[in-house]
Amino acid sequence: MVAQLVAGGLSTRIYVCQLGGFDLHSSQVPTTGSTTTGAHATLLGKIADGINAFQDDLRRLGIQDRVIGLTFSEFGRRIKANSGYGTDHGAAAPLLVFGAQANPLVHGPNPQLPANAGVNDNVAMQVDFRSVYTSILKDWFQVPQATLNQLFGQAFPYVPVIKQTALATTPGAAPVAGFSVYPNPAVGQATALFESQGEAVQLSLFDGLGREVRRYVAGRTLGTGPQRVPLDVRGLAPSTYHCVVREGSRSSALVVVVSD
């Protein structure tokens, strides 16, 4: 239904779908047999099937690059099961960002679980959920940082949950004027050209998985007018990359081929 609404041109920017039943203080897993089965596993299967079907619909409708999804809950679960084979409310939980333009990475290391954890022990939080929210609002919805600081009461660390190569096509993002890269294909060295309006610039190179492999300009003001930035691509594997320039609310991306 949501995929059809998006494809049909409805102007709603955010849709929320809900699946209940996760508050499993008891009977989260069976009393005998594998702990990979039971009520919680069944619910996770429904989540997986739903996301898979949704992404299939988006691809069928040709709008997979226009939609980012994420899962959220008001609380997580604790480390150890209680006497009722369930888990009580916890301090942290996984959050999934999905879609064709989601950065396919795990953000943060695997949690370290103590061997003698009790029923009251929590998984330590690594990434504040507000960091994820503000990062998506900034990158996907192009909400200015000053507005985010006002809405959330403070600034939160940035989390690159969206492929940086997608930002140039984010709805509402104006392009950086005159952006080009030459020579292309590049061997060892290339040059990025663009017109700066005197705001802070970030210029980076990303691989096909959306990982930043080189950062050439890191939030510096370069002045107003034509800019020439050398791009050192030595040491990179021959492949197709994406060069992304961002200045203020504007962004542009180009495919750059690195040859040997």
Side-chain angles (χ1 to χ4, degrees):
M1 175 65 75
V2 173
Q4 291 176 329
L5 292 173
V6 174
L10 198 66
S11 59
T12 301
R13 302 293 300 277
I14 298 175
Y15 296 85
V16 178
C17 300
Q18 181 174 314
L19 175 64
F22 282 92
D23 197 13
L24 293 166
H25 292 273
S26 62
S27 303
Q28 181 172 322
V29 295
T31 56
T32 60
S34 174
T35 56
T36 61
T37 63
H40 188 66
T42 299
L43 288 167
L44 290 179
K46 290 181 178 180
I47 289 286
D49 291 343
I51 292 175
N52 186 57
F54 179 58
Q55 292 301 128
D56 282 346
D57 285 345
L58 294 177
R59 284 188 288 269
R60 177 177 55 83
L61 294 166
I63 56 172
Q64 68 273 16
D65 291 329
R66 293 174 49 196
V67 179
I68 282 288
L70 77 154
T71 63
F72 68 94
S73 177
E74 63 266 38
F75 45 74
R77 314 306 296 185
R78 295 183 188 171
I79 296 174
K80 187 175 181 179
N82 56 36
S83 59
Y85 294 92
T87 50
D88 298 321
H89 296 175
L95 185 154
L96 306 178
V97 179
F98 57 90
Q101 298 300 340
N103 208 354
L105 300 173
V106 176
H107 299 277
N110 289 329
Q112 300 299 312
L113 305 181
N116 59 345
V119 294
N120 293 321
D121 289 329
N122 284 290
V123 177
M125 184 190 73
Q126 296 183 28
V127 179
D128 192 309
F129 71 93
R130 291 169 292 186
S131 288
V132 180
Y133 289 3
T134 53
S135 298
I136 291 176
L137 287 170
K138 180 178 181 179
D139 284 348
W140 194 254
F141 293 97
Q142 296 294 298
V143 178
Q145 185 63 52
T147 302
L148 292 174
N149 294 348
Q150 183 179 15
L151 288 173
F152 287 83
Q154 66 181 82
F156 289 91
Y158 176 77
V159 184
V161 293
I162 295 175
K163 291 179 181 178
Q164 298 297 301
T165 53
L167 302 185
T169 58
T170 300
V176 174
F179 182 45
S180 64
V181 175
Y182 79 93
N184 192 5
V187 179
Q189 191 84 11
T191 301
L193 304 177
F194 59 93
E195 293 282 338
S196 174
Q197 296 187 15
E199 298 183 67
V201 171
Q202 180 169 308
L203 179 64
S204 301
L205 198 67
F206 298 85
D207 65 13
L209 292 178
R211 297 175 297 193
E212 185 179 43
V213 294
R214 295 286 166 86
R215 179 172 293 188
Y216 300 106
V217 183
R220 290 190 292 113
T221 300
L222 302 180
T224 303
Q227 304 295 325
R228 298 170 58 93
V229 178
L231 308 179
D232 184 357
V233 297
R234 291 174 296 180
L236 293 176
S239 185
T240 299
Y241 297 85
H242 296 267
C243 188
V244 179
V245 60
R246 303 182 68 188
E247 183 183 29
S249 62
R250 297 172 300 283
S251 60
S252 291
L254 288 173
V255 173
V256 175
V257 177
V258 174
S259 301
D260 53 12

